Amino acid sequence: MAFDIDMIKKVYSQMAERVEAARKVVGKPLTLSEKILYSHLWDGNPTKAFARGKDYVDFAPDRIALQDATAQMALLQFMQAGKKKVAVPTTTHCDHLIQAKNGASMDLQSALNTSNEVFNFLESVSNKYGLGFWKPGAGIIHQVVLENYAFPGGMMIGTDSHTVNAGGLGMVAIGVGGADAVDVMAGMAWELKFPKLIGVRLTGKLSGWTAPKDVILRVADILTVKGGTGAIVEYFGPGATSMSCTGKGTICNMGAEIGATTSTFGYDDSMERYLRATDRADVADAANKVKDYLTGDAEVYANPEQYFDQVIDINLSELGPLLNGPFTPDLSTPVGKEMTEKAKANDWPMKVEWGLIGSCTNSSYEDLSRASSIAQQALDKGLKTKAEFGINPGSEQVRYTADRDGILEVFEKLDAKIFTNACGPCIGQWARYEDPKNAPKNSIVHSFNRNFAKRADGNPNTHAFVASPELTAAIAIAGRLDFNPLTDKLINEDGQEVMLDEPTGWELPPKGFAVDDNGYLEPKEDGSGVEVKVASDSERLQLLEPFTPIGDSITGAKLLIKAFGKCTTDHISMAGPWLRFRGHLDNIANNTLIGAVNAFGKKTNFVKNQLTGEFGGVPDTARAYKTAGVKSIVVGDHNYGEGSSREHAAMQPRHLGVAAVIVKSFARIHETNLKKQGMLGLTFDNESDYDLIQEDDTFNFLDLNEFAPGKQLTIELAHADGTKDTIKVNHTYNQSQIDWFNEGSALNLIKKENAA
């Protein structure tokens, strides 16, 4: 039986009325995305049509998911909100703080030894405020959500950018910062700019070495890392219905890498099969009663150009296996000749040292079974892996079932390391090197979603390539980046030439799923007696102090850093070893922007302190300005804040005295996070004004006292040589968001309203 079945039935009971009302106000057939959005309006039945990409809309999500690295700050904020219990079903999942090193049992015990303080905090807060708690080792948040909580036609938010994975079960599931989650946990509306819509029509059928992962690798190639910004990507067509539910989840999951608000698929037979296989026949039965409302209208899919802002066509029968990377998830290359030529031209290391399978993107039973079919062939044909091999199952249910069915044993016979059911290398929780900064140039292939520099192992020289699990397994066996399993032969231990056959696998376990202990802890019905302790001398946890308003006058502010090129949330607030400080704002602030390349000198973590003329690290320089009572400014390039939903990337600069971030363009989640923390997130009206910013610049805001929706702001740049430039900057703040700025943060406003 499903969790929260009464909530799900309530959503379905009002869906028909709300969708029909939406059809009337919109005046045309609806996409699935529109049906879900309009049926989750905070004010109930739709009364107006919203302008895509323009109107800010208040929504009422059905549920929330938190992962341990971001849950700490989210729950520390919720503790300040003055509420006794979360207003909507919410869960906490411990998957980020487990480092991959020796193997599952040893690594899990090590995490319990080193992070027990944090786990105990999260468990106690969850127990006190009514959140379901998934213990360390229970699984990766998004796989656990897909198995237990996702449902067709629902809306959820989560404090992780890959919350979008639940689109594989027909949800509109969106990654947010912790402050957004706090709003909804506190019983308030969640605000989102009504998304644009991108339709992806899938025809044909996957076969051979081509996998669902290749679909999103191709879409990333088409749209790039920012092409989906502000849009929901909706997949449809015969190719969509021919894929498994977990395959759909893979595609939606990596939609975060194109900047999409989320991605989704219409309810179909594969989703029903998955719901029933995961002990949710009650959800399937309820969904079947309203199934016409859980997919786009037929007229939409027949003539998509009339209903979507953009339409992409992909013939799955013509799609081949792809490798995306290195250093960016949208650089796509077909296996074989083109990869060989590109690798040689760019001096990419041809030898592959690791093949890694797992992450929230590709750790389902189907993924493991297909990859194991390749591993079994290696055993049968006398091959050994030339690269090292690592496996992260997606959940304890997947791990237990795969172990029962002999899948894990196949990998182990090839000397693969079976890591904990956790994120591990995908988020930098991988003890690959003693000194990653001085590690050698090398290539790895993985089935993860992101491959930014230093992402997996902290080594800036690691060239990481994203592929399907089955292709990852094949390349790990071959040990070469230019290996094409469709055409290339391998030499086995007897000196014979052999070829790998096409992968095979099971959509769902033939004997059904099984598990002894799924790792779930139900919260107390009344948590009022639960005490949440945070030691005053803790290195890991720190109670929050409210931010003070920046004010309507910013003068004499100094440039902290002018970030050059790609500046993701990994550059702004690194993960890896820094994850241990995610609950302690002051300590984690010591990694602020240390990965960003300074446009002046092209070095990382080396900026000029204008008060002393000396050069030093970004956090130290920011602290010096803050101590002197001087505000500071960060300048950036396009798609600033790409990547994770981590609000630390906004809270840390705020804590260190940064008043404004001025860039060419923002990634959606990061821009919202800046607003929530009471900062200014601004974009150059003229992108070339980025080039006007000099190393010794002082920023004077000339009309911040007139801050209003739709009104540009004017900034005077005072250069060290006495000259000045005046520039215009744009913003997307509405009045509610300006109120957050005026109060110092969205949380400050929540506390004020709760106290009234």
Side-chain angles (χ1 to χ4, degrees):
M1 181 174 172
F3 288 95
D4 309 309
I5 185 62
D6 291 337
M7 176 270 285
I8 295 171
K9 288 181 177 178
K10 181 182 177 183
V11 171
Y12 289 162
S13 70
Q14 61 195 24
M15 193 156 227
E17 179 184 349
R18 294 190 173 187
V19 170
E20 293 301 337
R23 278 205 190 98
K24 289 180 181 178
V25 297
V26 174
K28 59 182 180 180
L30 298 176
T31 64
L32 167 64
S33 305
E34 289 172 310
K35 289 180 181 181
I36 298 175
L37 292 170
Y38 277 108
S39 65
H40 283 84
L41 298 178
W42 179 257
D43 293 328
N45 282 357
T47 57
K48 62 169 286 189
F50 296 106
R52 300 175 189 171
K54 293 182 180 179
D55 288 342
Y56 281 94
V57 182
D58 286 340
F59 291 101
D62 300 313
R63 66 174 313 110
I64 300 168
L66 314 172
Q67 45 95 332
D68 50 355
T70 53
Q72 296 170 65
M73 199 59 70
L75 291 174
L76 283 165
Q77 291 179 86
F78 182 74
M79 289 168 64
Q80 303 285 314
K83 295 290 185 178
K84 292 182 179 180
K85 197 170 185 178
V86 291
V88 301
T90 306
T91 50
T92 302
H93 303 256
C94 296
D95 62 353
H96 275 56
L97 299 179
I98 304 170
Q99 188 178 53
K101 184 177 182 179
N102 298 307
S105 60
M106 292 178 65
D107 292 346
L108 179 56
Q109 188 57 55
S110 177
L112 292 172
N113 294 341
T114 58
S115 296
N116 209 40
E117 176 188 12
V118 173
F119 295 141
N120 287 340
F121 166 75
L122 293 174
E123 183 179 339
S124 64
V125 176
S126 297
N127 212 8
K128 184 175 183 65
Y129 295 107
L131 292 80
F133 182 75
W134 291 81
K135 297 184 293 185
I140 304 172
I141 176 173
H142 310 304
Q143 180 65 29
V144 173
V145 165
L146 198 71
E147 291 176 8
N148 294 278
Y149 298 113
F151 66 97
M155 173 184 276
M156 71 174 288
I157 59 173
T159 59
D160 188 284
S161 56
H162 292 104
T163 300
V164 295
N165 187 81
L169 246 177
M171 292 194 88
V172 161
I174 300 174
V176 299
D180 273 0
V182 170
D183 283 357
V184 180
M185 286 191 286
M188 301 175 68
W190 173 61
E191 184 185 69
L192 177 73
K193 186 182 288 185
F194 203 84
K196 294 182 179 179
L197 300 176
I198 297 173
V200 180
R201 178 168 41 201
L202 301 179
T203 56
K205 191 173 183 179
L206 295 172
S207 63
W209 284 92
T210 311
K213 185 63 162 281
D214 297 304
V215 177
I216 185 57
L217 295 181
R218 176 67 180 124
V219 172
D221 179 50
I222 294 168
L223 288 175
T224 77
V225 292
K226 61 181 182 179
T229 302
I232 293 179
V233 181
E234 184 172 323
Y235 293 84
F236 63 94
T241 55
S242 70
M243 280 189 286
S244 68
C245 178
T246 52
K248 293 177 173 71
T250 291
I251 292 169
C252 292
N253 180 292
M254 228 183 122
E257 274 52 73
I258 58 172
T261 301
T262 192
S263 305
T264 195
F265 285 78
Y267 179 60
D268 62 15
D269 292 345
S270 72
M271 295 184 191
E272 180 178 355
R273 290 193 298 271
Y274 188 74
L275 286 169
R276 296 190 186 281
T278 51
D279 197 27
R280 289 177 288 172
D282 47 355
V283 179
D285 291 340
N288 286 342
K289 294 176 182 177
V290 292
K291 64 190 311 178
D292 288 346
Y293 296 99
L294 302 178
T295 190
D297 288 336
E299 299 93 329
V300 170
Y301 295 157
N303 298 287
E305 289 81 5
Q306 296 179 25
Y307 302 98
F308 291 97
D309 298 291
Q310 181 180 355
V311 177
I312 296 169
D313 277 290
I314 297 177
N315 185 338
L316 302 183
S317 301
E318 297 174 355
L319 187 66
L322 300 169
L323 282 162
N324 281 30
F327 306 125
T328 186
D330 59 350
L331 179 59
S332 189
T333 308
V335 297
K337 181 180 178 182
E338 191 172 333
M339 171 54 77
T340 303
E341 293 173 350
K342 194 180 288 188
K344 288 179 179 178
N346 291 281
D347 195 27
W348 296 339
M350 207 68 82
K351 180 184 177 184
V352 173
E353 297 194 1
W354 271 88
L356 295 155
I357 293 171
S359 90
C360 59
T361 320
N362 278 112
S363 56
S364 67
Y365 184 91
E366 180 182 34
D367 291 325
L368 296 185
S369 71
R370 285 179 63 84
S372 74
S373 76
I374 304 303
Q376 184 64 55
Q377 287 184 57
L379 296 171
D380 295 342
K381 298 183 181 187
L383 296 167
K384 286 193 173 181
T385 54
K386 298 290 180 62
E388 294 189 73
F389 211 178
I391 312 292
N392 282 84
S395 68
E396 176 57 15
Q397 179 167 267
V398 165
R399 187 212 65 80
Y400 186 96
T401 307
D403 189 39
R404 179 202 66 189
D405 295 347
I407 289 173
L408 298 188
E409 183 183 4
V410 173
F411 291 123
E412 289 171 331
K413 286 180 179 178
L414 279 180
D415 296 324
K417 279 190 178 178
I418 309 299
F419 294 124
T420 316
N421 315 318
C423 302
C426 181
I427 59 161
Q429 283 285 56
W430 186 22
R432 184 184 180 192
Y433 297 112
E434 290 294 327
D435 182 14
K437 292 181 181 177
N438 295 310
K441 185 176 179 179
N442 72 104
S443 287
I444 66 174
V445 175
H446 59 57
S447 70
F448 307 160
N449 39 51
R450 291 191 177 136
N451 57 349
F452 306 142
K454 307 181 188 179
R455 171 79 179 185
D457 58 12
N459 178 7
N461 299 311
T462 293
H463 293 55
F465 296 84
V466 183
S468 68
E470 44 268 60
L471 183 59
T472 298
I475 290 177
I477 292 164
R480 288 188 60 82
L481 191 64
D482 58 352
F483 176 66
N484 183 355
L486 285 78
T487 58
D488 296 351
K489 296 179 179 179
L490 298 170
I491 307 297
N492 70 9
E493 293 193 294
D494 297 326
Q496 300 170 322
E497 286 188 339
V498 297
M499 283 189 70
L500 295 173
D501 301 320
E502 294 176 353
T504 59
W506 294 276
E507 175 185 351
L508 296 164
K511 299 177 185 177
F513 283 108
V515 67
D516 272 350
D517 177 7
N518 65 4
Y520 176 72
L521 296 178
E522 184 80 17
K524 286 188 174 183
E525 186 65 33
D526 180 5
S528 58
V530 177
E531 185 177 2
V532 178
K533 294 182 180 180
V534 175
S536 59
D537 60 349
S538 173
E539 285 189 341
R540 303 290 298 273
L541 298 165
Q542 179 188 44
L543 295 175
L544 294 175
E545 295 291 332
F547 288 131
T548 57
I550 288 171
D552 63 0
S553 176
I554 299 176
T555 58
K558 301 298 183 183
L559 176 69
L560 177 61
I561 185 172
K562 179 180 176 180
F564 176 79
K566 185 185 282 284
C567 190
T568 71
T569 49
D570 278 7
H571 295 90
I572 305 167
S573 174
M574 289 182 177
W578 290 95
L579 282 172
R580 65 191 304 269
F581 297 123
R582 282 285 181 86
H584 197 296
L585 182 56
D586 193 55
N587 282 346
I588 198 169
N590 290 323
N591 82 356
T592 305
L593 285 156
I594 63 174
V597 176
N598 187 9
F600 306 104
K602 302 299 191 295
K603 294 181 180 179
T604 58
N605 203 28
F606 194 72
V607 296
K608 187 174 184 178
N609 181 334
Q610 294 187 47
L611 303 181
T612 65
E614 298 176 351
F615 287 82
V618 180
D620 291 339
T621 305
R623 288 185 190 275
Y625 288 145
K626 183 179 179 181
T627 300
V630 175
K631 294 181 174 66
S632 54
I633 306 294
V634 171
V635 172
D637 210 316
H638 275 300
N639 210 29
Y640 183 89
E642 169 191 347
S644 168
S645 69
R646 68 192 69 151
E647 65 185 332
H648 298 74
M651 294 185 78
Q652 291 169 218
R654 178 75 161 101
H655 176 67
L656 295 181
V658 174
V661 179
I662 310 169
V663 300
K664 293 180 182 177
S665 64
F666 282 109
R668 176 190 61 85
I669 299 176
H670 187 65
E671 181 182 20
T672 300
N673 286 344
L674 292 172
K675 294 176 179 181
K676 288 280 183 177
Q677 301 306 330
M679 296 175 70
L680 291 172
L682 309 170
T683 55
F684 292 105
D685 182 51
N686 184 346
E687 289 184 6
S688 63
D689 286 346
Y690 171 91
D691 301 319
L692 295 176
I693 309 298
Q694 299 177 22
E695 190 170 29
D696 293 298
D697 274 357
T698 298
F699 294 73
N700 300 310
F701 285 68
L702 304 183
D703 50 8
L704 186 56
N705 60 322
E706 300 172 8
F707 191 20
K711 185 179 185 299
Q712 289 183 322
L713 293 175
T714 309
I715 302 174
E716 178 187 79
L717 306 175
H719 307 304
D721 62 3
T723 62
K724 296 179 180 180
D725 282 298
T726 300
I727 65 171
K728 294 285 188 179
V729 292
N730 301 320
H731 66 83
T732 60
Y733 288 71
N734 59 30
Q735 189 54 54
S736 296
Q737 295 165 344
I738 291 174
D739 291 342
W740 301 341
F741 176 77
N742 291 334
E743 291 293 334
S745 72
L747 181 59
N748 287 354
L749 189 60
I750 290 175
K751 290 171 65 177
K752 183 177 180 180
E753 291 173 348
N754 284 338

